[in-house]
Amino acid sequence: MGEGKELIELKFRIYDGTDIAHSTYASSMTVATVKQKIVAEWPQDKTVIPKSINDLKLIHAGRVLENNKSLADSRITFGDLPAGVITMHVVVQPTITKNKTEKSKEDMQKLNSCRYETWIFLVRF
């Protein structure tokens, strides 16, 4: 086979031990494309459901894979296992949106600055 056309059989283990998206992937496929397939095939009966590929982290051999790299660039081992199937772990980290009640860092600095000036004022007089 030519470079980038090598196929690799992968399955992805999620937090409760369930395997999903078991399929054959081209080694030239990007991690982001693989994540899109995982999001599309995610079991809807789970308590944690990723909304986008940014909510997922793929882990292979103790390393988090980067979205912009291909499977080959990520050094996924090809055919080294007797069964031929590589299991990757999937971690879901939903994007945290800022609450409207949270104070921004700038607001906190203003508040702290005001307290400091008040303290100096009280010490002087």
Side-chain angles (χ1 to χ4, degrees), residues 3-54:
E3 183 153 342
K5 300 204 187 264
E6 191 166 359
L7 298 177
I8 181 168
E9 190 174 356
L10 300 173
K11 63 182 176 178
F12 302 90
R13 184 151 299 151
I14 62 175
Y15 62 91
D16 66 354
T18 304
D19 291 336
I20 62 172
H22 184 170
S23 187
T24 303
Y25 299 86
S27 62
S28 60
M29 185 177 272
T30 65
V31 172
T33 305
V34 173
K35 285 183 177 183
Q36 287 172 343
K37 181 172 178 154
I38 293 170
V39 169
E41 293 186 17
W42 195 270
Q44 296 301 303
D45 62 338
K46 301 299 178 189
T47 55
V48 177
I49 300 173
K51 293 180 178 62
S52 73
I53 65 169
N54 295 326

Side-chain angles (χ1 to χ4, degrees), residues 1-123:
M1 279 188 186
E3 183 153 342
K5 300 204 187 264
E6 191 166 359
L7 298 177
I8 181 168
E9 190 174 356
L10 300 173
K11 63 182 176 178
F12 302 90
R13 184 151 299 151
I14 62 175
Y15 62 91
D16 66 354
T18 304
D19 291 336
I20 62 172
H22 184 170
S23 187
T24 303
Y25 299 86
S27 62
S28 60
M29 185 177 272
T30 65
V31 172
T33 305
V34 173
K35 285 183 177 183
Q36 287 172 343
K37 181 172 178 154
I38 293 170
V39 169
E41 293 186 17
W42 195 270
Q44 296 301 303
D45 62 338
K46 301 299 178 189
T47 55
V48 177
I49 300 173
K51 293 180 178 62
S52 73
I53 65 169
N54 295 326
D55 293 346
L56 296 179
K57 303 253 186 270
L58 293 184
I59 301 171
H60 174 68
R63 292 181 294 119
V64 176
L65 305 184
E66 297 177 35
N67 287 346
N68 60 341
K69 290 190 174 182
S70 70
L71 294 174
D73 292 340
S74 299
R75 297 186 181 150
I76 306 303
T77 51
F78 299 103
D80 289 344
L81 301 175
V85 180
I86 295 174
T87 303
M88 291 191 194
H89 290 87
V90 181
V91 176
V92 180
Q93 291 182 321
T95 307
I96 299 173
T97 56
K98 188 176 176 182
N99 288 337
K100 291 180 181 177
T101 58
E102 284 186 69
K103 293 186 176 15
S104 70
K105 189 173 182 179
E106 187 176 300
D107 291 340
M108 291 303 291
Q109 287 175 341
K110 287 179 185 175
L111 183 60
N112 289 338
S113 174
C114 182
R115 287 181 183 164
Y116 178 72
E117 290 169 3
T118 303
W119 183 80
I120 290 175
F121 177 78
L122 290 173
V123 171

